[in-house]
Amino acid sequence: MALELYLDLFSQPCRSVYIFAKKNNISFDFKKLSLLDGEQYGEDFGKISLIRKAPALRDGDFCLAESIAIMLYLAEKFKTPDFWYPADLQQRARVNEYLSWQHTAIRMHGSKIFWLRLMIPKVMGVEVPEDKMNAALDDLNSSLKLVEEKFLQDRPFIAGDQISLADLVAIVEIMQPVGAGLDVFEGRPKLSAWRDRVQEAIGKELFDEAHQYILGAQESVKTMDSNKMQFFKPKILRLFM
Amino acid sequence: MATGRLVEVYLDLLSQPCRAVHILLTCTKIPHRVRTMALRKGEHRTLDFTKLNPMQKVPVMVDDGFVLTESDAILKYLATKYDVPEHWYPRQPERRARVDEYTAWHHTNTRPHAAKVFILEVLLPAQSGSLVDEARLNRALSDLDDTLDKLESMFLRRQPFLCGDDITVADLLAACELTQCVSLQPLGGGRDVLKERPQLQRWRSRVQSAVGEAFDKAHGVLYALRDRRRARL
């Protein structure tokens, strides 16, 4: 059985796994999962992952959730080039450090902006109060500042001279608020220059392919069935309001 | 083996991830030096510490000039660099993937949900003198309940430890988060978040057995604080 990857490219961690697999010519069965349609709660997907999140991997009998775990597993199994997850102890630690920090920083803050600017107005039919939006923007700005000042500093990439999983995970998260119409690169020359380097290292074609859905989000949200999305109301109330 | 200086760790043992790092160091007998930090005194906001870690958080590890933050990165670094028993962070890809899966999931599940209960029930009232916000606390307890359900039904399903047959760094991270809520419950309230959860209690006992006295050593400061609070009630 071929390697299966369960992905929804609207989701940041799915994009990083997709890009990583494609870039490294890892052959896989793309199993499309629509998160907004609630497909992660289906019985079949439950057999793959009780965590019920995307991305998920199935390699024979072995099932795995969490994008970071998936990429580390693929890196090892397919012996991808060292720079993605360096064997050098300190460089690897730098990558792990970023991958750890980002969960409750850039990932959380970028996601929140996407929901506040785009999804909530669609699902709840209301605009988010200004103070909540400003607080969320402040958080995102703090995280972006740390990316520039602590994780990048003068280096071309987070772990050094070459791209790694840290940069890949960072870029897909940073693109999420961009998909909601917020140009986070404006006024940030250092971040923009890094983004250009990352895009070049990944390959513009693959980068654009992975991001076409999220960058089209503002348009596609207009045609989304808001009735279907009522399902998300309780979660939204808890998380964002 | 490391030559020259000992690895240094900046730890506040009232912090859950600091305890996990402390337990690994003690258990595996990695020579190290602890720099004690008191977050309650704002020691993480000093100019010097901020230079070391702009995120102003603990734990921080310094290994001969190499500065590393984030407890899971630190745990994995230590387990790899030093000659520790392999079970802590297995090398076999599928077994290692299970640990990586838990340590990722931990950030947005066990850690925030356990910490929130502690913050709402103990920390905020202690700092501000205010009463506990019951509505928020109940939501936090419900979120924690969800997490505990998942720990039992997913990670501990058919296995004694979170990632398999043997203890790993994942169990340290999880166990230390859960001791935070348990140890500092007001005596009068009498809540133990693991009270109705024999499966998790058994897991916790297994963790304690596996690490031996390192567990109590890491929790000494927390227990002392708990005892002082109880004595005052």
Side-chain angles (χ1 to χ4, degrees), chain B residues 36-230:
Chain B
T36 308
M37 296 279 298
L39 298 182
R40 68 195 180 282
K41 292 184 191 160
E43 287 177 5
H44 53 310
R45 297 195 212 279
T46 63
L47 217 61
D48 279 342
F49 189 75
T50 308
K51 269 196 225 140
L52 196 66
N53 183 11
M55 270 89 82
Q56 298 185 326
K57 294 201 172 171
V58 281
V60 177
M61 179 202 85
V62 184
D63 188 7
D64 207 358
F66 176 65
V67 181
L68 188 63
T69 67
E70 294 295 321
S71 58
D72 52 347
I74 293 171
L75 289 166
K76 290 173 184 179
Y77 176 90
L78 293 171
T80 307
K81 177 169 180 176
Y82 295 91
D83 193 17
V84 306
E86 211 212 306
H87 65 78
W88 286 111
Y89 191 41
R91 266 169 242 142
Q92 196 271 337
E94 289 177 13
R95 291 175 59 216
R96 173 162 289 205
R98 291 262 91 86
V99 180
D100 291 330
E101 184 186 55
Y102 180 79
T103 57
W105 186 85
H106 177 84
H107 283 281
T108 49
N109 290 273
T110 316
R111 172 128 181 83
H113 296 156
K116 190 119 200 215
V117 169
F118 168 69
I119 287 167
L120 288 173
E121 194 157 37
V122 180
L123 199 65
L124 277 181
Q127 283 177 342
S128 64
S130 59
L131 292 170
V132 174
D133 183 334
E134 293 293 339
R136 286 182 76 196
L137 178 62
N138 285 333
R139 279 204 298 276
L141 284 165
S142 163
D143 284 343
L144 180 57
D145 230 14
D146 254 351
T147 291
L148 297 179
D149 282 342
K150 287 173 182 162
L151 285 174
E152 288 184 331
S153 65
M154 291 173 4
F155 296 96
L156 290 174
R157 188 173 63 145
R158 291 190 231 131
Q159 54 194 22
F161 292 97
L162 293 176
C163 302
D165 287 328
D166 218 331
I167 192 172
T168 66
V169 296
D171 299 281
L172 296 185
L173 287 167
C176 292
E177 286 300 334
L178 296 178
T179 50
Q180 195 83 349
C181 331
V182 173
S183 293
L184 293 182
Q185 294 307 317
L187 190 60
R191 183 201 347 274
D192 175 351
V193 294
L194 297 192
K195 197 166 107 183
E196 312 291 325
R197 303 210 177 239
Q199 189 189 3
L200 278 169
Q201 287 177 25
R202 284 194 296 271
W203 161 78
R204 182 178 55 191
S205 299
R206 284 192 288 268
V207 171
Q208 285 176 291
S209 288
V211 306
E213 61 179 16
F215 195 88
D216 285 344
K217 263 194 169 166
H219 284 82
V221 185
L222 194 69
Y223 295 156
L225 189 64
R226 175 197 61 191
D227 295 342
R228 279 202 300 279
R229 285 171 59 90
R230 283 185 182 162

Side-chain angles (χ1 to χ4, degrees), chain A residues 6-236:
Chain A
Y6 291 75
L7 305 173
D8 179 339
L9 292 180
F10 247 75
S11 137
Q12 308 88 304
C14 288
R15 293 198 290 274
S16 52
V17 170
Y18 180 77
I19 290 173
F20 185 69
K22 289 290 244 191
K23 181 70 185 168
N24 288 291
N25 297 311
I26 295 169
S27 105
F28 65 94
D29 242 335
F30 186 120
K31 297 289 204 182
K32 189 169 189 296
L33 199 70
S34 171
L35 297 175
L36 288 174
D37 286 328
E39 284 178 6
Q40 67 276 39
Y41 299 109
E43 200 185 310
D44 282 337
F45 188 67
K47 297 192 188 120
I48 312 287
S49 170
L50 289 171
I51 290 176
R52 293 195 177 280
K53 298 224 165 154
L57 166 152
R58 175 155 60 179
D59 186 9
D61 288 328
F62 181 65
C63 294
L64 189 63
E66 294 295 332
S67 62
I68 289 167
I70 290 171
M71 288 188 291
L72 298 190
Y73 174 80
L74 292 175
E76 170 61 38
K77 177 161 181 157
F78 292 92
K79 301 287 181 250
T80 54
D82 182 72
F83 57 77
W84 285 112
Y85 193 52
D88 174 79
L89 189 65
Q90 291 190 0
Q91 282 192 297
R92 177 169 288 203
R94 278 279 159 263
V95 177
N96 282 338
E97 185 186 48
Y98 182 81
L99 295 178
S100 171
W101 172 81
Q102 59 92 33
H103 286 281
T104 49
I106 198 83
R107 170 155 174 65
M108 184 175 275
H109 301 148
S111 289
K112 191 163 184 174
I113 291 294
F114 184 77
W115 278 86
L116 293 183
R117 271 183 80 109
L118 213 60
M119 303 303 285
I120 286 175
K122 179 70 187 180
V123 176
M124 313 283 282
V126 295
E127 293 297 317
V128 171
E130 204 180 316
D131 60 336
K132 278 216 162 17
M133 186 64 90
N134 287 336
L137 284 167
D138 281 344
D139 283 341
L140 179 61
N141 287 331
S142 301
S143 282
L144 289 170
K145 190 159 186 267
L146 280 167
V147 171
E148 286 185 316
E149 293 177 10
K150 144 93 189 173
F151 291 101
L152 278 173
Q153 295 179 32
D154 319 319
R155 297 186 287 269
F157 296 96
I158 291 171
D161 289 330
Q162 290 182 289
I163 194 173
S164 72
L165 288 175
D167 305 280
L168 181 55
V169 166
I171 196 75
V172 299
E173 293 297 342
I174 292 172
M175 290 304 287
Q176 200 79 348
V178 175
L182 183 71
D183 186 357
V184 299
F185 296 106
E186 199 190 312
R188 292 193 168 95
K190 191 178 199 173
L191 201 70
S192 302
W194 165 80
R195 177 218 38 212
D196 292 342
R197 287 190 290 271
V198 172
Q199 272 183 353
E200 203 192 314
I202 289 170
K204 193 163 194 310
E205 208 183 297
L206 176 57
F207 185 89
D208 288 346
E209 189 203 326
H211 285 90
Q212 59 177 308
Y213 297 108
I214 202 63
L215 290 175
Q218 289 180 92
E219 276 307 307
S220 56
V221 155
K222 293 181 186 160
T223 57
M224 267 178 203
D225 182 355
S226 56
N227 283 324
K228 257 193 201 171
M229 309 261 281
Q230 296 308 311
F231 179 70
F232 292 96
K233 232 173 171 160
K235 174 178 173 177
I236 289 170

